[in-house]
Amino acid sequence: MRFFALVFLFCVALVVPALAQKIGIELGKSPLPINQYYTISIKLQDQPLKEYTPFPEIEGFKKSNRYSSTKTIITGGKTTTVLTVVQNYAALEEGEYAVRPFSMKVNGQMVQSQGMAIKVTPMQANAPQALNLPNLILENDDAPPVEDEPEFIDKEDNAFMTIYTNKKEVFVGEGVNVVLYFYLAEADQPLLDFHDFANQLSGILKQMKQPHTWEETFDYTEITPENVVVQGEPYLRFKLYEAVLFPLNLEPLHFPQLKLQMIKYKVAKNPSLLTQDRQEGYKMFYSRERVIPVKELPPHPLRDVVPVGDYRLRESLSKKNIAVNKSFTYLFEVEGEGNLAAIMPPVPEVPPGLEFYPPNVRQDITKRAGRVVGSKSFAYAVLPRQPGHYDMRGTLHWVYFNPTTAAYDTLRPSLRVQVTGRSANSNGVALTRDLGSFYNIIENEDNTLVNMHLLDEIKRYTNMILLVLLAVSAFVFLKK
């Protein structure tokens, strides 16, 4: 009995580490040029990201932007999803640094990293992209006036909230980047502060939702300011929300006027160490209403089902020369920018002599810099039955609409496979149109009836015995 108890405990010990391995931390590479980011990543398998503690600070580096990517793999009907959250770090100067051992709490689970040494080398010739700033939008201050007190002054602040979109109109199915920013002049930081931010942001995000779109949101559980320049003046920019929206019909994207209440301080007219130097009040900031029209796709037989995006084809064959009745794999991979979740596998037009089986699907999505890019691949298992040359171009094709050119396009394969050997008919395979050899040997075959459910009965009794042994083992373990 003790033996079965030990077996039970051993199985539990194997399962617990397997669960823990679904969350991990991955460190970047070293050495790296000073003009490239060092990264620390969180990887989660088959689970959403609910919460996590802030990424660590690294001496000699400054935290920069953060992005996430999702990888989906479907093999044999089993789906595996890997979510990666990447924090970028910018090196301040060349030299040798160290990431000290640290731990992070992700979805309630502590994950540890041993750290590493980092060597920052001289710059490489890669010029950074220019910053794309939205137009300034002045806020309407409708907050109720606060009674002025003689010893405090209400100073003017330079802050505003704005909804930024990278396109003024889109086609059905075309992605548009939507960002909600709050800008605050660096010099006015002492004048403003966030108030009841979590509850206000929850209400704002509900107003930002578009029920008739497919939404790919960016992960921003920790809102940190970015240093930007607006009209020659330094500002702090807070990114409150970002997503890429793909409209599913012709209904326009409508973003109503949003409001955010901030704490606004009045400063003392004559500050001193013995008196209060500022007085707390409130001020309401408003964004401007935005409407994005949605255009219908040009006439086409597949207009209602065709994917929309900027795509290209990558293909490969596991073998270009194969024998009859030996399977091979053909990979049809679509990569580019668009709503990859809406891409369905192309249906093969199977020529005589080939058999196609349902593909294994793999999807990789990266959300970065306001874009949703990645790839979706379909791996078809193919079984040749007849010798000959087979062009994949005539077997598969995939139609999509490119919003950049405003035209339909088709991805067509260019690979071909050569099948050698004799056809399946010459190998003695019994076909419906050639049953002579099958009936010639039927007289010599054994006609004893076999119970088709014998294997099921053996499995049933085996499972019952295992359940009894497991129950007895658990009872002995609890008793001891």
Side-chain angles (χ1 to χ4, degrees):
M1 296 302 177
R2 291 184 178 180
F3 171 75
F4 292 108
L6 291 174
V7 171
F8 176 77
L9 292 176
F10 178 73
C11 293
V12 173
L14 289 177
V15 172
V16 172
L19 294 175
Q21 291 176 358
K22 292 189 175 182
I23 301 178
I25 295 178
E26 184 177 284
L27 302 180
K29 297 181 180 180
S30 176
L32 78 157
I34 192 172
N35 60 330
Q36 292 185 9
Y37 286 124
Y38 178 77
T39 61
I40 296 181
S41 308
I42 303 174
K43 289 185 175 290
L44 301 93
Q45 179 178 335
D46 294 331
Q47 57 181 298
L49 179 62
K50 300 178 181 177
E51 58 177 354
Y52 63 90
T53 55
F55 284 88
E57 300 290 339
I58 304 177
E59 184 178 357
F61 288 78
K62 180 181 179 181
K63 280 186 181 179
S64 184
N65 62 321
R66 185 167 56 256
Y67 66 94
S68 63
S69 64
T70 305
K71 178 182 295 184
T72 304
I73 303 174
I74 304 176
T75 305
K78 182 179 180 182
T79 303
T80 301
T81 303
V82 179
L83 171 63
T84 303
V85 180
V86 182
Q87 173 67 59
N88 286 332
Y89 293 83
L92 300 179
E93 59 183 12
E94 302 171 17
E96 296 185 359
Y97 304 91
V99 179
R100 300 182 183 277
F102 66 93
S103 60
M104 297 179 63
K105 191 174 184 180
V106 183
N107 290 355
Q109 177 181 323
M110 294 301 299
V111 187
Q112 296 183 348
S113 173
Q114 299 300 320
M116 64 174 290
I118 310 175
K119 183 178 181 181
V120 180
T121 60
M123 180 182 300
Q124 290 185 352
N126 290 323
Q129 295 181 352
L131 183 64
N132 185 16
L133 295 177
N135 295 327
L136 297 184
I137 299 178
L138 299 178
E139 80 285 348
N140 300 317
D141 186 6
D142 292 340
V146 181
E147 185 179 351
D148 292 336
E149 296 183 9
E151 64 270 18
F152 293 98
I153 302 174
D154 188 5
K155 296 185 65 175
E156 188 69 24
D157 60 81
N158 294 308
F160 58 93
M161 184 168 62
T162 178
I163 298 175
Y164 165 77
T165 60
N166 66 335
K167 299 173 183 176
K168 294 183 178 180
E169 61 179 7
V170 293
F171 286 100
V172 175
E174 181 184 1
V176 55
N177 180 227
V178 180
V179 191
L180 178 62
Y181 287 120
F182 185 81
Y183 284 80
L184 172 63
E186 286 188 4
D188 294 336
Q189 292 185 61
L191 299 180
L192 293 172
D193 202 353
F194 286 103
H195 165 68
D196 193 21
F197 181 70
N199 290 330
Q200 288 196 82
L201 184 61
S202 176
I204 289 174
L205 296 184
K206 288 181 181 179
Q207 298 180 69
M208 293 286 293
K209 296 294 182 181
Q210 305 293 315
H212 53 280
T213 65
W214 177 273
E215 182 183 37
E216 290 286 353
T217 56
F218 289 65
D219 172 63
Y220 287 103
T221 57
E222 179 186 358
I223 297 177
T224 55
E226 304 173 77
N227 294 304
V228 297
V229 177
V230 180
Q231 294 183 348
E233 298 295 331
Y235 273 75
L236 296 178
R237 184 174 69 180
F238 298 85
K239 187 179 294 184
L240 308 183
Y241 165 85
E242 182 177 14
V244 174
L245 304 180
F246 300 90
L248 303 178
N249 53 37
L250 293 174
E251 186 173 348
L253 306 183
H254 177 249
F255 302 98
Q257 184 185 62
L258 305 174
K259 60 182 181 179
L260 177 66
Q261 189 179 46
M262 301 282 290
I263 297 176
K264 173 70 181 292
Y265 295 101
K266 293 181 179 181
V267 298
K269 187 174 183 179
N270 298 309
S272 67
L273 297 177
L274 302 178
T275 60
Q276 184 180 1
D277 62 347
R278 62 181 185 175
Q279 184 182 64
E280 183 178 303
Y282 297 97
K283 181 176 181 179
M284 196 73 73
F285 291 87
Y286 297 87
S287 68
R288 184 176 296 170
E289 180 182 12
R290 295 293 302 271
V291 177
I292 307 297
V294 179
K295 301 181 293 184
E296 188 175 19
L297 299 182
H300 190 275
L302 301 177
R303 178 170 63 183
D304 296 332
V305 296
V306 69
V308 178
D310 188 359
Y311 299 111
R312 53 195 173 275
L313 173 63
R314 291 180 58 188
E315 56 176 336
S316 64
L317 283 167
S318 61
K319 298 177 182 178
K320 293 186 177 181
N321 294 280
I322 191 71
V324 171
N325 292 331
K326 298 293 183 180
S327 65
F328 64 93
T329 301
Y330 174 69
L331 181 68
F332 188 98
E333 182 174 8
V334 179
E335 64 176 9
E337 180 177 1
N339 185 7
L340 297 172
I343 297 178
M344 303 302 294
V347 180
E349 299 177 2
V350 184
L354 292 182
E355 294 182 6
F356 273 74
Y357 294 89
N360 292 329
V361 183
R362 178 181 178 129
Q363 178 175 287
D364 296 332
I365 296 180
T366 298
K367 291 174 278 190
R368 187 175 187 177
R371 303 172 60 201
V372 176
V373 298
S375 63
K376 195 165 188 177
S377 60
F378 307 96
Y380 294 88
V382 187
L383 184 63
R385 292 298 191 182
Q386 302 288 341
H389 294 278
Y390 297 93
D391 287 321
M392 295 296 106
R393 182 179 182 87
T395 304
L396 289 168
H397 68 277
W398 189 76
V399 181
Y400 70 100
F401 179 78
N402 190 332
T404 304
T405 60
Y408 293 91
D409 203 348
T410 303
L411 299 182
R412 297 185 182 276
S414 60
L415 297 179
R416 65 183 312 191
V417 62
Q418 180 178 359
V419 180
T420 58
R422 295 192 299 173
S423 65
N425 292 344
S426 61
N427 291 333
V429 179
L431 301 177
T432 56
R433 62 178 181 271
D434 184 16
L435 300 177
S437 59
F438 175 77
Y439 284 100
N440 289 338
I441 63 173
I442 195 171
E443 297 293 338
N444 300 326
E445 292 298 313
D446 185 10
N447 61 354
T448 305
L449 296 177
V450 178
N451 186 0
M452 298 179 62
H453 303 286
L454 179 61
L455 184 59
D456 294 336
E457 294 180 1
I458 294 175
K459 289 182 179 179
R460 186 183 305 114
Y461 289 121
T462 303
N463 291 335
M464 293 173 60
I465 294 173
L466 291 176
L467 287 174
V468 172
L469 292 176
L470 182 60
V472 172
S473 300
F475 174 77
V476 172
F477 174 72
L478 296 174
K479 189 80 172 177
K480 295 297 182 180

